[in-house]
Amino acid sequence: MESESACLRVRELLILGDNRLKQGVAAAKVRETYERALALARQAGLEEWARPLVEGRLAELDRLERESR
């Protein structure tokens, strides 16, 4: 049950980060949200599942930051 709760919270943080990105929130705040999701996943033993999801989002965020310069 605790694992399910952590999984849900990780998903919520990923969605929050996605929504912040769409709303034009500062990239640093978006990155912080994704990194919190990964940290929570690590603590809950879900890193293997969450890492690809977070890394993909961070790569996209990096790309968007480069393009906006």
Side-chain angles (χ1 to χ4, degrees):
M1 184 66 167
E2 187 175 312
S3 178
E4 286 180 33
S5 177
C7 184
L8 180 60
R9 184 66 186 137
V10 169
R11 287 181 181 169
E12 288 172 349
L13 285 168
L14 293 175
I15 291 168
L16 177 61
D18 293 347
N19 288 338
R20 286 179 169 171
L21 184 60
K22 289 176 190 172
Q23 294 167 355
V25 173
K29 190 72 172 172
V30 175
R31 182 177 305 283
E32 177 186 313
T33 304
Y34 291 147
E35 288 174 352
R36 280 184 17 223
L38 185 55
L40 178 61
R42 275 188 195 119
Q43 291 174 346
L46 300 169
E47 184 175 6
E48 188 174 316
W49 164 77
R51 178 171 287 286
L53 300 173
V54 173
E55 286 179 346
R57 284 168 167 86
L58 290 173
E60 179 67 11
L61 184 59
D62 288 342
R63 184 188 65 79
L64 291 171
E65 284 183 294
R66 280 192 307 274
E67 289 178 0
S68 69
R69 291 182 197 160

